[in-house]
Amino acid sequence: MEELDRQLSADEKAAVAAKVWTLVNALPQRDLIEESDARQWISRVVELHGEQAIWHAIRLNGFGGSEIGVLVRNQHGVRADHMASAHDIVLGKLMRKVPDETNEHMTRGHENEDRHASMFYRKYGAHRDLPAFETLKAAQGSLPWMRYSPDEVAQLPSRMLAATRPMAAERAMSRWLIDYKAPSRVEDDSEIHFQYGCQLAQGAILCEEQGVELHGLMLSQFDWANWRLKDDVVEVSAELKQLVRNAGNWAWDCVMHKVVPPYVRTPVLADSEGFVAKHVELAERMANVSALAKAADDRAKELRAELILGLDGRKLDGHKIVLPGAGALTANLKIDAEKIQADLTPEQVAKVVKKDGYDEKRMAAHLKSLGVDLKQFKADKIDSDKLAEHADEFGIDLDAYMAEQHVFRIDKPLKEEMERYVDTHFPLVALPQADPESPAADEFAEEPMAEAPRG
């Protein structure tokens, strides 16, 4: 990224702009692009992206895998993820919208790619199939708009994937198309986003057309928080491939006729009476359970307060009190770090602060840049053992700085009994079937995929 972030000189910018102009003038839609739009686009993109402007100009010549899922969903009246839209994509191909500035999500994906590939190779004993990779990289689809920039075409030992590809055992190695992703959060389930499936489907189409035999498709997500790869085998149907072709044809026709599709709007509920008729029973059950939960929670707080009063102000000091048939009462130690910082000298504080070797401010700034909620990592900085050790030396009342937070854990059999009570008295009811003509059809929400075996 240092090379990408390097500021270009005026001469270098002029050279990049000249290359971009050459690419733009060769576009099939060039006659439809206003000269003022082209001039403004090139000036702005060279300024924002430097040499990457050449790559952005190449992308004007069709739709890539990262765009096709958006087009599929929008063609069928469904909004796409991350506020992406066919409207903006077509505007971009007509040079009326410049590419977004590089953000932390793009940077994370770019800078992680080499490490991601290295981890993937080690996990499966895999290696890049360079001839197949180069073929796909340079592929020109039979459809004029179809483009694909592969992350990986890899040879994997067939034995590693025998559970999902039994026929692969006939050969020592199998060829797989891999898509690397580095999202801010990896969901630990067996489904992947529909748009990821569309991206791999487009890659599979191009492989078929180029005579590159594939034995499987896989989405590999870099779960940085747990330092692992979550790999999912993706099954691409003939129907999904046709959806990809249809959507690309539709959007490219829009480009070539200078027609910008409208934004897909979330539909307005037009029939409130119909909604009431369909959902009144569900709403009644939900209201009853919610009211019961509120009343039970209020009473539980009152009873908990009485239980804590029974301690007569005495500490548990790490002990657990088991109450048969109910649960167990424990306590977590809470340190008033702000009071310690205010009352003790810096030298005294230094003696009781935890030494973990990390710059917490820098870590917090980095996690924030990735969109991570920091509350889950919140912790006391003061070491309670060290504070107790130095309390007499400091001449402080230890109890003034440390307090117990009581925790009551309910017995599992009791939890299960209450769950059965709710299931018996407030069972779930089947939701009314969605209107098959509704633009929010489930087939474009998420595509369930089988999870790949762990290496």
Side-chain angles (χ1 to χ4, degrees):
M1 284 301 291
E2 290 180 0
E3 182 63 24
L4 295 178
D5 293 338
R6 181 175 66 85
Q7 295 296 313
L8 301 181
S9 66
D11 288 343
E12 288 173 323
K13 287 181 181 178
V16 171
K19 292 179 181 178
V20 172
W21 270 113
T22 299
L23 291 167
V24 168
N25 288 331
L27 291 171
Q29 71 269 37
R30 179 65 180 92
D31 292 344
L32 301 171
I33 297 171
E34 299 292 338
E35 192 69 18
S36 58
D37 290 335
R39 190 179 302 110
Q40 184 177 17
W41 190 97
I42 292 172
S43 173
R44 183 63 175 155
V45 174
V46 170
E47 187 65 34
L48 282 176
H49 299 282
E51 292 182 353
Q52 263 198 312
I54 296 171
W55 179 78
H56 285 295
I58 293 171
R59 283 171 58 87
L60 295 172
N61 198 16
F63 304 123
S66 61
E67 297 169 316
I68 193 62
V70 176
L71 301 180
V72 172
R73 298 184 81 172
N74 278 195
Q75 185 191 20
H76 291 268
V78 180
R79 289 179 63 83
D81 295 334
H82 312 303
M83 305 304 291
S85 68
H87 176 95
D88 290 346
I89 290 173
V90 171
L91 275 182
K93 305 308 176 186
L94 294 170
M95 301 185 78
R96 290 163 56 188
K97 183 181 186 301
V98 300
D100 294 332
E101 293 187 51
T102 302
N103 58 31
E104 65 272 17
H105 303 296
M106 299 175 189
T107 301
R108 181 176 62 248
H110 177 83
E111 293 191 351
N112 271 333
E113 191 162 313
D114 288 343
R115 181 184 294 277
H116 193 152
S118 178
M119 291 176 67
F120 187 86
Y121 296 158
R122 289 199 307 271
K123 179 176 179 178
Y124 291 106
H127 64 270
R128 174 165 292 176
D129 188 329
L130 194 56
F133 179 84
E134 293 297 333
T135 296
L136 183 55
K137 187 176 178 181
Q140 172 68 55
S142 60
L143 297 172
W145 55 265
M146 192 173 285
R147 302 287 180 270
Y148 198 77
S149 180
D151 289 339
E152 188 67 80
V153 181
Q155 290 281 349
L156 281 68
S158 297
R159 59 180 174 77
M160 299 293 295
L161 297 151
T164 55
R165 290 292 186 278
M167 297 300 292
E170 299 173 1
R171 58 182 69 85
M173 302 293 286
S174 301
R175 183 183 296 113
W176 287 68
L177 177 62
I178 315 297
D179 192 21
Y180 294 144
K181 298 292 183 187
S184 56
R185 180 181 179 185
V186 176
E187 299 292 343
D188 196 13
D189 56 31
S190 60
E191 293 187 352
I192 69 166
H193 290 294
F194 176 76
Q195 289 170 214
Y196 291 164
C198 291
Q199 183 166 348
L200 280 164
Q202 181 157 311
I205 292 171
L206 280 169
C207 283
E208 289 174 4
E209 294 185 349
Q210 300 299 313
V212 177
E213 182 186 9
L214 293 176
H215 304 121
L217 309 168
M218 189 184 296
L219 173 71
S220 179
Q221 297 182 80
F222 184 26
D223 183 1
W224 61 268
N226 296 299
W227 207 249
R228 63 165 188 137
L229 302 183
K230 180 180 183 292
D231 300 325
D232 294 287
V233 172
V234 178
E235 302 291 350
V236 170
S237 65
E239 290 76 14
L240 181 58
K241 291 177 184 176
Q242 193 56 47
L243 286 173
V244 165
R245 295 186 183 97
N246 293 344
N249 289 338
W250 161 72
W252 194 242
D253 188 64
C254 289
V255 173
M256 297 307 293
H257 287 86
K258 206 174 180 179
V259 175
V260 179
Y263 287 114
V264 175
R265 305 293 186 187
T266 302
V268 176
L269 179 65
D271 181 15
S272 60
E273 291 184 2
F275 179 84
V276 171
K278 286 183 179 180
H279 298 93
V280 63
E281 183 181 355
L282 173 64
E284 184 179 327
R285 289 170 184 269
M286 182 200 70
N288 287 338
V289 173
S290 297
L292 177 64
K294 176 66 169 60
D297 186 58
D298 289 344
R299 181 52 51 87
K301 289 176 181 177
E302 295 169 355
L303 295 173
R304 182 181 183 279
E306 289 188 28
L307 183 65
I308 301 305
L309 283 174
L311 294 174
D312 294 329
R314 290 168 291 182
K315 295 192 299 184
L316 294 183
D317 197 25
H319 296 292
K320 177 170 70 173
I321 300 177
V322 176
L323 300 158
L329 182 65
T330 59
N332 296 326
L333 195 61
K334 176 66 176 177
I335 300 174
D336 191 338
E338 290 185 3
K339 183 173 175 59
I340 289 173
Q341 296 279 357
D343 292 354
L344 302 186
T345 66
E347 292 77 14
Q348 290 173 329
V349 171
K351 290 183 178 181
V352 297
V353 168
K354 292 180 179 179
K355 306 292 185 182
D356 55 13
Y358 294 104
D359 185 327
E360 295 183 8
K361 288 185 178 180
R362 289 177 62 190
M363 288 180 68
H366 178 63
L367 289 171
K368 282 183 178 179
S369 74
L370 299 176
V372 178
D373 184 359
L374 300 184
K375 290 181 181 178
Q376 60 183 313
F377 303 114
K378 192 174 181 181
D380 298 316
K381 296 180 180 179
I382 305 300
D383 188 315
S384 59
D385 292 334
K386 289 183 179 180
L387 186 63
E389 178 185 341
H390 293 283
D392 290 340
E393 175 190 339
F394 296 163
I396 62 173
D397 177 6
L398 192 61
D399 282 356
Y401 299 90
M402 300 172 66
E404 288 188 339
Q405 291 184 323
H406 298 98
V407 178
F408 186 79
R409 291 182 173 82
I410 305 168
D411 278 349
K412 186 176 179 180
L414 184 57
K415 282 184 179 180
E416 293 173 345
E417 182 182 345
M418 292 298 104
E419 288 169 359
R420 288 193 296 271
Y421 176 87
V422 172
D423 287 341
T424 299
H425 294 278
F426 304 98
L428 289 173
V429 293
L431 291 174
Q433 291 297 313
D435 183 351
E437 300 299 321
S438 169
D442 288 343
E443 64 178 307
F444 300 110
E446 284 197 349
E447 183 81 0
M449 305 293 179
E451 190 168 340
R454 304 299 185 208

